[in-house]
């Protein structure tokens, strides 16, 4: 198979231009070396060639469809590829060891992701979005939110999205109409419609964690009063598994 990416170019960027091995002198990356970086890159190249590149054209010719029951159907190769990616631990590549991550330098983790994006941009978007979602929650979420949402995403059991755009507003934040009203139990009731949400619904994982931008009461005009809310497809259960179905509904697909 023709290589989807030049390993020589990647090595030049990482080792000769950026001198990424130098970061191993820092405490956070002290357990890493060029050998561990190469191992991650080799693994990524192998998975990209075996599981992502082969169905790139097939996926374009067979777009996801919405079944009569509201679930999403797609070619099985997508799930097989993502299961292999998750099993390799690559979703957690740059995250702290304390949450199950490899604690790789972000530069190396992004270089590893480049193999998958070059091999299959559409399938690689699922972990790409999940990593971004988990990264935000790991940085700003509470310990409970990290346990409930970040850990399952890093394990690949749940995927994540970002819900900004709306039918009437596009990506103009000042014009969004989704509302979040506080409830007596400390939660918020979020009401509205989001559109063009990559990975917005599927059967690839047990759950989907949506990060939803919405306005709160009394927040003022324009972008004032906008907050970010965790809206899972299924509420997390006491055992860490996906529990009761949340009131999140798919109304259509865009290609």
């Amino acid at each position: 198979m023709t290589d989807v990416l030049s390993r020589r170019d990647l090595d030049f960027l990482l080792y000769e231009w950026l001198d990424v091995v130098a970061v191993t002198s820092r405490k956070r990356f002290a357990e890493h070396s060029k050998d561990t970086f190469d191992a991650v890159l080799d693994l990524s190249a192998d998975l990209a060639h075996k599981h992502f590149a082969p169905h790139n054209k097939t996926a374009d010719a067979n777009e996801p469809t919405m079944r009569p029951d509201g679930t999403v159907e797609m070619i099985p190769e997508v799930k097989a590829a993502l299961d292999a990616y998750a099993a390799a631990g690559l979703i957690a590549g740059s995250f702290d060891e304390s949450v199950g991550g490899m604690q790789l330098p972000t530069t190396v983790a992004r270089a590893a992701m480049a193999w998958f994006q070059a091999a299959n941009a559409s399938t690689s978007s699922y972990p790409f979005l999940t990593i971004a979602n988990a990264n935000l929650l790991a940085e700003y979420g509470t310990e409970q939110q990290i346990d409930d949402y970040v850990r399952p995403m890093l394990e690949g059991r749940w995927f994540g999205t970002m819900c900004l755009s709306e039918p009437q507003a596009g990506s103009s934040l000042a014009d969004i109409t989704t509302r979040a009203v506080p409830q007596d139990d400390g939660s918020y009731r979020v009401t509205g419609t989001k559109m063009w949400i990559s990975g917005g619904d599927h059967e690839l994982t047990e759950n989907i964690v949506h990060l939803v931008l919405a306005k709160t009461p009394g927040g003022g005009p324009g972008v004032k009063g906008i907050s970010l809310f965790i809206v899972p497809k299924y509420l997390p259960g006491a055992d860490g598994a996906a529990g009761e179905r949340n009131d999140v509904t798919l109304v259509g697909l865009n290609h």
Side-chain angles (χ1 to χ4, degrees):
M1 179 184 294
T2 303
D3 211 347
V4 299
L5 198 65
S6 168
R7 178 59 183 270
R8 175 67 189 96
D9 287 351
L10 205 57
D11 284 350
F12 169 77
L13 291 171
L14 288 174
Y15 300 129
E16 298 179 43
W17 185 45
L18 296 175
D19 189 21
V20 72
V21 177
V23 303
T24 59
S25 63
R26 301 180 182 182
K27 183 178 179 180
R28 177 174 176 80
F29 308 117
E31 295 186 9
H32 286 293
S33 65
K34 184 177 184 298
D35 289 340
T36 62
F37 297 161
D38 281 342
V40 170
L41 295 174
D42 290 343
L43 173 62
S44 298
D46 184 60
L47 290 175
H49 282 113
K50 289 181 178 178
H51 297 284
F52 283 70
H55 72 273
N56 186 27
K57 183 176 180 180
T58 306
D60 277 348
N62 297 271
E63 296 174 336
T65 57
M66 185 175 173
R67 301 186 184 101
D69 64 358
T71 59
V72 177
E73 182 176 8
M74 63 181 71
I75 60 171
E77 292 91 335
V78 175
K79 179 171 173 53
L82 294 172
D83 285 349
Y85 186 93
L90 292 172
I91 295 176
S94 61
F95 287 80
D96 291 351
E97 292 175 353
S98 62
V99 292
M102 298 182 190
Q103 214 157 290
L104 287 168
T106 298
T107 304
V108 176
R110 296 289 76 78
M113 173 59 81
W115 285 104
F116 300 98
Q117 293 177 313
N120 192 317
S122 60
T123 297
S124 65
S125 67
Y126 292 96
F128 184 81
L129 288 164
T130 301
I131 290 167
N133 181 312
N135 189 57
L136 186 149
L137 292 179
E139 182 68 23
Y140 298 105
T142 65
E143 287 299 321
Q144 188 65 54
Q145 289 169 338
I146 290 171
D147 287 342
D148 285 347
Y149 301 106
V150 175
R151 293 181 186 275
M153 285 195 283
L154 297 188
E155 293 168 4
R157 296 190 293 112
W158 299 3
F159 279 171
T161 73
M162 177 62 203
C163 302
L164 185 158
S165 301
E166 297 183 2
Q168 81 294 339
S171 297
S172 174
L173 286 178
D175 297 320
I176 67 171
T177 58
T178 297
R179 294 292 184 267
V181 179
Q183 305 297 295
D184 292 339
D185 63 358
S187 66
Y188 283 77
R189 181 171 294 278
V190 180
T191 306
T193 302
K194 296 294 183 177
M195 194 169 180
W196 305 292
I197 308 305
S198 299
D201 202 11
H202 52 73
E203 308 304 315
L204 298 170
T205 54
E206 302 168 14
N207 202 0
I208 305 171
V209 182
H210 302 291
L211 293 182
V212 179
L213 288 174
K215 289 188 175 182
T216 53
V223 297
K224 295 179 180 179
I226 293 178
S227 295
L228 189 65
F229 297 88
I230 303 172
V231 183
K233 180 177 179 179
Y234 294 93
L235 300 173
D239 60 354
E244 179 185 356
R245 176 67 188 253
N246 203 1
D247 190 13
V248 179
T249 304
L250 174 69
V251 297
L253 296 178
N254 293 104
H255 298 298

